[in-house]
Amino acid sequence: MSEAIPQSPPRVRATAKWPGLTVLAVVLLVLPFLAGNDYHYDLMIKIALTAGVAVGLNLLVGYAGQISLGHAAFYAAGAYGSALLVSHYEITPVPAMLLAAVGVAVLAWLVGRPILHLKGHYLSMATLGLGVIAAIVINNEDQLTGGPDGLTVAPLSVFGHELSVFGSYQLFGLTISGTQVWYGIAAGFLFLSVVFALNLIDSPLGRALRALHGSEIAAQVAGVDTAKFKLRVFVISAVYASLAGSLYGYYGGFITPNIASFTHSIELITIVVLGGMASTYGVILGAVILLLIPQFLTGFQELEMVLFGAILMAVMIFMPRGLVPTLARRFQKEAP
């Protein structure tokens, strides 16, 4: 049977991408002027990196309809892989990050071929097992990864210049701090992640993924090689996580097995569901909310996690499609 791609119009048209990208670029450029101290920058950097992972995961969950409960494994593989390449093989950080991403892509391809033939709860359990295995390996191989004590990561360097959080740098005659430089790197990563995702959604691959999400059987009848397309998007989302993990390691200078934990994987899935599946900008908002809410609840001490869970439950009950899709539908109904 020849492979055919459904010719339905894409959700994100070429002309429709630019307003959203423009707003995102403006927000990312304005945020540094609102940051009062390094703590604010630290929070914005972590939000940007987490949102980048969520954008990639949204391609897998929101568009292809494949649930992954072990995506933190790829995040940790990128972080530990690039750190070990720098420390053990004396590869410079940027090539190490790219090599780690290639290694993660190969790993995702090898793992994805058998498990993506599964469906529903079986697929979720298989990806959960992947995350558990990664966490166990990182904890037990203490001579290589540092085990539970963690691993020190060399700082990112570009053209021989180390980009440390604690440094200061000259740019066009202006003195900027290390945290400001790192915010620029994280914001650039997020912006490029969104650009790539939107272009992919607007491609034949994106249309095939939407057909797959709607009905895998119908997509197969139409001639779509569902196994191939699921594997492709699984690898792409894993590379997103790997790159973000490498940047996180370079930024913090220290990584622990917690980044490969089941809790981290659930946090990533929650971001996608909270912001709105199949909504690229929605998952960015989901990352902002999920990482900011705990900051406002710290004063409640023992009740912090209870209130945090109650807020997430309320959102899911009253906005089951996620924040952005639900709000978008309401505005469309109210429009004349």
Side-chain angles (χ1 to χ4, degrees):
M1 182 182 294
S2 61
E3 181 180 325
I5 305 298
Q7 297 301 316
S8 58
R11 291 184 185 179
V12 182
R13 298 181 184 275
T15 55
K17 290 186 293 189
W18 294 110
L21 287 173
T22 302
V23 171
L24 177 62
V26 170
V27 170
L28 293 174
L29 290 172
V30 169
L31 281 176
F33 297 98
L34 304 179
N37 50 50
D38 285 346
Y39 175 75
H40 294 157
Y41 275 108
D42 177 70
L43 194 57
M44 291 191 298
I45 291 167
K46 290 177 179 177
I47 289 173
L49 294 178
T50 303
V53 182
V55 169
L57 184 58
N58 183 50
L59 295 173
L60 178 66
V61 177
Y63 285 93
Q66 309 302 305
I67 302 298
S68 173
L69 297 180
H71 230 60
F74 300 124
Y75 186 88
Y80 277 92
S82 55
L84 293 173
L85 286 172
V86 173
S87 61
H88 286 63
Y89 299 97
E90 298 182 355
I91 299 175
T92 52
V94 173
M97 178 173 66
L98 298 178
L99 286 173
V102 172
V104 167
V106 173
L107 173 64
W109 185 83
L110 292 173
V111 171
R113 282 185 66 85
I115 70 173
L116 288 176
H117 288 287
L118 303 173
K119 299 178 182 179
H121 303 302
Y122 301 104
L123 175 61
S124 302
M125 293 303 294
T127 55
L128 171 60
L130 171 65
V132 171
I133 291 172
I136 291 174
V137 170
I138 293 173
N139 272 292
N140 291 342
E141 295 297 325
D142 53 349
Q143 293 184 348
L144 187 64
T145 65
D149 294 332
L151 181 68
T152 301
V153 183
L156 179 66
S157 62
V158 179
F159 302 116
H161 298 284
E162 290 189 355
L163 301 180
S164 170
V165 178
F166 305 104
S168 60
Y169 308 91
Q170 295 291 326
L171 182 64
F172 303 116
L174 298 174
T175 301
I176 56 177
S177 66
T179 50
Q180 290 173 324
V181 171
W182 265 103
Y183 171 77
I185 294 172
F189 169 73
L190 174 58
F191 186 80
L192 292 176
S193 298
V194 172
V195 171
F196 181 82
L198 293 179
N199 280 283
L200 187 144
I201 294 165
D202 198 19
S203 70
L205 173 59
R207 293 193 287 274
L209 293 178
R210 290 197 292 275
L212 171 64
H213 191 183
S215 173
E216 186 170 342
I217 296 176
Q220 290 174 338
V221 171
V224 177
D225 188 342
T226 56
K228 182 177 75 173
F229 284 113
K230 286 195 292 184
L231 185 58
R232 281 184 185 179
V233 75
F234 186 69
V235 171
I236 290 171
S237 64
V239 170
Y240 266 86
S242 174
L243 293 173
S246 296
L247 289 174
Y248 174 80
Y250 291 140
Y251 166 66
F254 189 78
I255 50 179
T256 67
N258 289 335
I259 62 175
S261 66
F262 173 65
T263 303
H264 190 199
S265 292
I266 293 299
E267 179 184 272
L268 295 174
I269 283 287
T270 303
I271 287 171
V272 174
V273 176
L274 176 65
M277 292 192 294
S279 173
T280 303
Y281 297 109
V283 298
I284 298 176
L285 180 60
V288 172
I289 292 175
L290 197 71
L291 272 68
L292 278 185
I293 286 179
Q295 309 302 319
F296 294 103
L297 298 178
T298 52
F300 292 95
Q301 298 178 356
E302 294 86 358
L303 295 176
E304 177 183 347
M305 295 309 297
V306 175
L307 293 174
F308 183 53
I311 292 172
L312 293 181
M313 287 177 59
V315 171
M316 290 297 96
I317 291 172
F318 296 104
M319 297 182 173
R321 294 177 177 270
L323 289 168
V324 170
T326 302
L327 293 175
R329 291 188 66 187
R330 289 183 180 178
F331 283 128
Q332 288 175 357
K333 289 180 179 180
E334 294 176 0

